[in-house]
Amino acid sequence: MANKIDRTKAREQEPLVRATNFEEVCYGFSAEEAQLEASRCLHCKNPRCVGACPVNIQIPEFIAKVLEGDFKGAANVIAQDSSLPAVCGRVCPQENQCEGSCILGIKGEAVAIGQLERFVADHATPDVEKAPANGIKVAIVGSGPAGLACASDLAKLGYDVTIFEALHKLGGVLQYGIPEFRLPKDKVLAREINAVKALGVKFEQDVVIGRTVTIDQLFDKEGFKAVFVGTGAGLPRFMGIPGENLNGVFSANEFLTRNNLMKAFREDYLTPIRAGKKAIVVGGGNVAMDAARTALRLGAETHIVYRRTEKELPARREEVHHAIEEGIIFDMLTNPVEILGDEKGCVRAIKCVKMELGEPDESGRRSPQPIVGSEFEIPADTVIMALGTSPNPLIASTTKGLDVNRKGCIVATEEGATSRAGVFAGGDTVSGAATVILAMGAGRKAAKAIDEYIKAL
Amino acid sequence: MYEIVSKKMLTPTICEMDVKAERLARAAQPGQFLIVRADEKGERIPLTISDYDAQKGTVTIVTQKIGASSTDIISFEVGEAFADVVGPLGIPSDFIEMSPEELASQKYVFIAGGVGTAPVYPQVKWLKEHGVAVDVIIGARTKDLFIYTDKMEKVCDNLYLCTDDGSAGFQGVGTAMLEKLVAEGKQYTRVVAIGPMIMMKFATLTAKKLNIPITVSLNTLMVDGTGMCGACRVSVGGKTRFACVEGPEFDGYLVDFDEAMRRQRMYLDEEKAAMENHVCRIGRGK
């Protein structure tokens, strides 16, 4: 067993260099590095990593192929369970999933499964088997991870699939949300989308389902036999504190959409963006890290304000680590109570209260309590709210008989069936904001359910 | 790609275009808007829908040259195409949900200012087609800046023109005209004001004084236009609302216009710089 080898570190851009550009942080493994890392896998009889993967990728099996140097073989193993490996290898919270349950991680460091997945996806294209076309039309609403995964599986089964996308670019949150430095758009995302196109899936951008055309019209007028709704969780939350509508307060969605979708960081693109001299990002998730690291790259001194401690930060550990390396300042146990403006209505400071951790709440995390009388001001000219998102109500409000729950999420079974026959849903629009891999998994389950539903018609 | 099938300069700075966008033309209703992204590097610019023709598959947009992006949009010629035209967005005007009885009891007056005259047109046309009494007041600084007066004349009961300099019609602003009409005994059940934010603010003050309900159509900043970014947030009745998905039309009495005007100026410095650096890119986008 070759477990005496240390975990192979993937090479990265120097923190202070990358803090000034939007190039990808991590260079990924070379073939030699990948094979060396692959040699660390113990090939456990009962691989816990597979069980911990939301889509159960046969991890030891693909790693064995990497070790053999059969990268295409490895890609084929991954493709059985995942349709977006180049994305998931980069953005999955591996420390809570596959790597978090790796036996090697008990005494030392887990196998770098995410990096290996990324290596395979970047260096090999899996073989594709496609059933003959059956001419049956299925519509997919939203081109994010759930929709792309559902579309690929249905196309492989022979369906005539059309993806409708409201924005002008494809990929949903992968396009507008995750920054270039974590997920390069042309090199990685476009490649994954082109693979879906190569299966014969059609894409229609600039179509807002619920406005441009309704789900009922897709059934009644356009001949679709089933619809999958994968519209994500795009509606930003605000805190509801005074001063939130001052100039210089943005939702993380707005800030990231300007930067990623509209490429505001590039001088030759017209969309403006303002990070200011000092930006405060409120929140502790991956989106908060993305917004903070973007503001930093745009030249602002950037702070993350979070009401619990670093231990409770919901962001991936790697993102927090990268953010700290790059020079983001973390103000923990701090909660905003008001945003203060100048005479022109622009942000001048954010008033916060110090917090302490009390008893654990229903999530098991100790709930933060404000310390009375501890209010203080942090001067800032930009405030970015990264407090989570909820599903966009547009589809539910324009589709008859589609049930939503109290939180505005579409009610669907594990397989994706909704209260409306022929309408399936999955991903963040059902679960609330979660991860790329869970959305992809939901899209694939729904594809199977749609196939069964159509065959039974 | 969305081809421009006709183009006409209505004034030296206001341009009318018919653009091929079949799905959008079939779905558009009065009160809604669309978003244009002229080319790969362009902004997503929200524009009101000035007319739509489901048969021809075209929508009409009226754009005023203000900044770099609107200058770009206007630079496109017939036969060229915009990268993206998406919509219809926003909630249609509330009157389209009214019963025939309810409609029959209405008497509308529109106050239109500047380029805001264009989106008034499909609303007035719809009301006229449904037998509703409609008067229209159009205000402009001087007579050369009027747009859509001929079209409007054909679809409204009475058209009142106002100019600041008295070069045509009534000398004074649209709200003064409304006060005059009411003083002369005209009765209206609703005012609809569409134009610059400041004009809608004053129209609301006048409507309040006259005790007539008023609808305003807010032209806030937007990025996606589908409820995703919140750039368009406005305070309405003390609550934050997203103009893109909960508007663009709101009860004028409840809108915080001062905040809305301030938020509109968010990127003024950036816009000025963009305009100064702007290299007009006429001739590309084929």
Side-chain angles (χ1 to χ4, degrees):
Chain A
M1 291 288 167
N3 53 8
K4 291 282 166 5
I5 306 164
D6 285 342
R7 175 172 161 128
T8 314
K9 299 267 180 295
R11 286 158 296 119
E12 291 174 350
Q13 272 197 77
E14 282 301 317
L16 296 182
V17 174
R18 70 180 192 243
T20 62
N21 67 48
F22 281 88
E23 303 297 312
E24 191 171 16
V25 169
C26 177
Y27 296 116
F29 284 156
S30 66
E32 295 72 37
E33 287 166 333
Q35 285 179 285
L36 179 67
E37 183 61 17
S39 74
R40 295 181 66 232
C41 178
L42 299 177
H43 296 279
C44 307
K45 217 179 227 145
N46 292 308
R48 303 201 308 177
C49 53
V50 177
C53 170
V55 298
N56 309 119
I57 293 175
Q58 297 302 308
I59 293 164
E61 207 182 310
F62 99 72
I63 291 181
K65 297 279 184 197
V66 173
L67 187 59
E68 288 168 24
D70 178 7
F71 304 140
K72 195 178 184 67
N76 284 335
V77 172
I78 296 174
Q80 291 165 18
D81 302 293
S82 170
S83 31
L84 298 168
V87 175
C88 291
R90 287 172 166 84
V91 306
C92 258
Q94 288 101 1
E95 72 265 25
N96 303 326
Q97 299 176 359
C98 53
E99 294 181 21
S101 61
C102 176
I103 292 287
L104 283 184
I106 298 172
K107 282 191 177 157
E109 284 193 281
V111 173
I113 300 167
Q115 286 291 348
L116 287 171
E117 182 187 23
R118 168 188 165 158
F119 170 81
V120 170
D122 286 354
H123 293 83
T125 309
D127 299 314
V128 176
E129 273 180 56
K130 193 172 177 289
N134 63 21
I136 301 168
K137 287 172 78 178
V138 180
I140 309 280
V141 186
S143 66
L148 289 173
C150 188
S152 317
D153 280 12
L154 287 168
K156 286 179 194 161
L157 292 168
Y159 288 94
D160 177 3
V161 183
T162 305
I163 299 189
F164 294 98
E165 168 56 50
L167 296 173
H168 57 270
K169 286 211 161 109
L170 302 168
V173 72
L174 308 175
Q175 183 69 249
Y176 73 77
I178 302 179
E180 188 73 23
F181 56 81
R182 275 215 296 142
L183 182 66
K185 305 299 164 228
D186 291 342
K187 201 179 87 195
V188 180
L189 181 57
R191 191 163 161 251
E192 301 263 32
I193 289 167
N194 285 337
V196 180
K197 279 186 184 157
L199 292 168
V201 173
K202 294 171 221 160
F203 287 88
E204 268 200 62
Q205 283 114 294
D206 299 328
V207 178
V208 183
I209 301 294
R211 287 271 178 260
T212 315
V213 59
T214 62
I215 286 185
D216 290 290
Q217 289 168 332
L218 291 178
F219 282 116
D220 302 342
K221 301 212 168 126
E222 304 201 17
F224 288 95
K225 295 295 174 216
V227 175
F228 173 76
V229 181
T231 44
L235 205 67
R237 285 195 204 117
F238 288 90
M239 292 186 81
I241 57 174
E244 246 174 343
N245 286 351
L246 287 166
N247 289 10
V249 184
F250 309 100
S251 72
N253 259 9
E254 176 181 354
F255 193 72
L256 291 171
T257 300
R258 284 180 182 276
N259 195 70
N260 304 340
L261 177 72
M262 305 310 297
K263 304 208 183 301
F265 68 93
R266 284 181 49 171
E267 290 223 342
D268 52 340
Y269 281 71
L270 282 179
T271 300
I273 191 164
R274 186 182 285 179
K277 289 193 179 68
K278 185 166 169 186
I280 306 288
V281 178
V282 183
N286 287 322
V287 174
M289 300 303 139
D290 285 344
R293 296 170 70 196
T294 298
L296 181 85
R297 282 162 171 74
L298 294 170
E301 174 191 324
T302 307
H303 292 235
I304 289 207
V305 162
Y306 179 59
R307 61 199 180 122
R308 304 181 204 242
T309 71
E310 204 178 307
K311 236 173 53 203
E312 285 86 17
L313 284 168
R316 289 174 74 209
R317 209 181 305 144
E318 187 186 19
E319 308 311 325
V320 176
H321 169 71
H322 279 153
I324 293 170
E325 275 189 338
E326 289 166 11
I328 307 280
I329 299 157
F330 284 68
D331 299 329
M332 299 293 100
L333 288 169
T334 303
N335 202 31
V337 290
E338 186 179 356
I339 302 164
L340 306 166
D342 62 16
E343 66 288 351
K344 284 185 181 156
C346 298
V347 173
R348 68 164 178 83
I350 179 164
K351 190 199 241 182
C352 297
V353 65
K354 282 275 172 205
M355 308 293 279
E356 58 189 353
L357 292 184
E359 295 300 309
D361 62 13
E362 61 271 27
S363 73
R365 294 184 299 179
R366 293 173 65 194
S367 64
Q369 311 287 340
I371 299 172
V372 179
S374 66
E375 284 85 356
F376 67 105
E377 286 179 17
I378 311 173
D381 50 6
T382 297
V383 176
I384 301 167
M385 293 293 179
L387 307 157
T389 51
S390 36
N392 195 314
L394 189 57
I395 298 274
S397 67
T398 55
T399 309
K400 281 174 234 132
L402 190 63
D403 290 348
V404 292
N405 68 16
R406 199 169 38 86
K407 290 179 174 165
C409 301
I410 295 175
V411 178
T413 63
E414 183 72 6
E415 291 72 38
T418 68
S419 56
R420 170 89 188 257
V423 178
F424 295 77
D428 285 3
T429 195
V430 170
S431 62
T435 59
V436 170
I437 194 150
L438 285 170
M440 186 191 78
R444 301 200 70 198
K445 277 184 197 152
K448 200 161 159 268
I450 289 169
D451 182 43
E452 284 161 10
Y453 165 81
I454 289 176
K455 283 189 174 142
L457 277 180
Chain B
M1 299 293 273
Y2 300 82
E3 195 190 332
I4 293 136
V5 295
S6 75
K7 177 183 178 180
K8 193 161 81 186
M9 293 306 291
L10 303 177
T11 75
T13 60
I14 299 180
C15 174
E16 181 188 62
M17 288 168 165
D18 289 339
V19 185
K20 200 96 178 161
E22 288 176 15
R23 282 188 180 279
L24 173 43
R26 281 202 295 272
Q29 291 185 297
Q32 292 186 296
F33 66 97
L34 54 75
I35 281 181
V36 172
R37 192 180 69 123
D39 62 14
E40 170 57 27
K41 292 176 180 174
E43 282 184 87
R44 291 172 66 95
I45 297 292
L47 296 170
T48 47
I49 301 174
S50 308
D51 208 354
Y52 41 89
D53 188 328
Q55 243 93 57
K56 286 189 201 152
T58 58
V59 289
T60 307
I61 54 171
V62 172
T63 317
Q64 183 165 27
K65 185 172 171 170
I66 301 168
S69 291
S70 51
T71 304
D72 265 355
I73 288 172
I74 290 177
S75 77
F76 277 67
E77 298 298 338
V78 172
E80 295 185 319
F82 294 130
D84 301 279
V85 178
V86 59
L89 299 169
I91 299 172
S93 302
D94 58 1
F95 54 71
I96 71 160
E97 301 284 345
M98 286 184 191
S99 65
E101 299 75 46
E102 220 178 327
L103 283 172
S105 67
Q106 300 293 320
K107 184 141 177 51
Y108 270 72
V109 60
F110 285 77
I111 306 183
V115 73
T117 311
V120 164
Y121 174 70
Q123 299 204 18
V124 174
K125 192 168 88 170
W126 191 98
L127 288 166
K128 187 73 183 170
E129 282 166 6
H130 290 78
V132 182
V134 194
D135 287 354
V136 177
I137 300 168
I138 306 179
R141 215 169 58 240
T142 180
K143 72 174 179 7
D144 296 339
L145 300 179
F146 280 121
I147 62 166
Y148 271 50
T149 49
D150 293 347
K151 286 177 99 165
M152 206 71 83
E153 190 123 51
K154 294 195 181 88
V155 293
C156 68
D157 294 317
N158 299 291
L159 178 65
Y160 304 98
L161 299 181
C162 318
T163 48
D164 294 355
D165 65 1
S167 54
F170 171 79
Q171 181 168 10
V173 292
T175 48
M177 185 73 219
L178 174 63
E179 286 196 67
K180 181 169 171 277
L181 290 171
V182 171
E184 287 167 7
K186 288 264 190 187
Q187 286 184 343
Y188 297 108
T189 56
R190 178 162 297 266
V191 182
V192 180
I194 307 182
M197 206 71 92
I198 185 85
M199 175 279 239
M200 293 191 281
K201 175 184 170 172
F202 284 102
T204 297
L205 291 173
T206 304
K208 234 180 215 172
K209 199 165 92 183
L210 300 172
N211 204 21
I212 310 171
I214 180 167
T215 301
V216 295
S217 179
L218 300 183
N219 50 334
T220 59
L221 296 182
M222 291 181 194
V223 185
D224 62 289
T226 63
M228 214 175 75
C229 81
C232 65
R233 54 196 199 278
V234 285
S235 294
V236 180
K239 281 203 182 118
T240 295
R241 309 283 294 270
F242 285 11
C244 69
V245 287
E246 299 177 277
E249 296 190 337
F250 291 102
D251 176 350
Y253 285 11
L254 301 177
V255 172
D256 182 342
F257 285 103
D258 293 336
E259 180 190 276
M261 282 187 276
R262 170 184 29 87
R263 290 186 56 81
Q264 247 183 355
R265 293 191 296 264
M266 183 104 68
Y267 292 99
L268 214 56
D269 295 345
E270 284 84 351
E271 278 161 21
K272 266 186 206 146
M275 198 56 194
E276 278 157 19
N277 296 331
H278 189 57
V279 185
C280 202
R281 293 176 279 164
I282 294 174
R284 94 268 86 125
K286 295 220 168 65

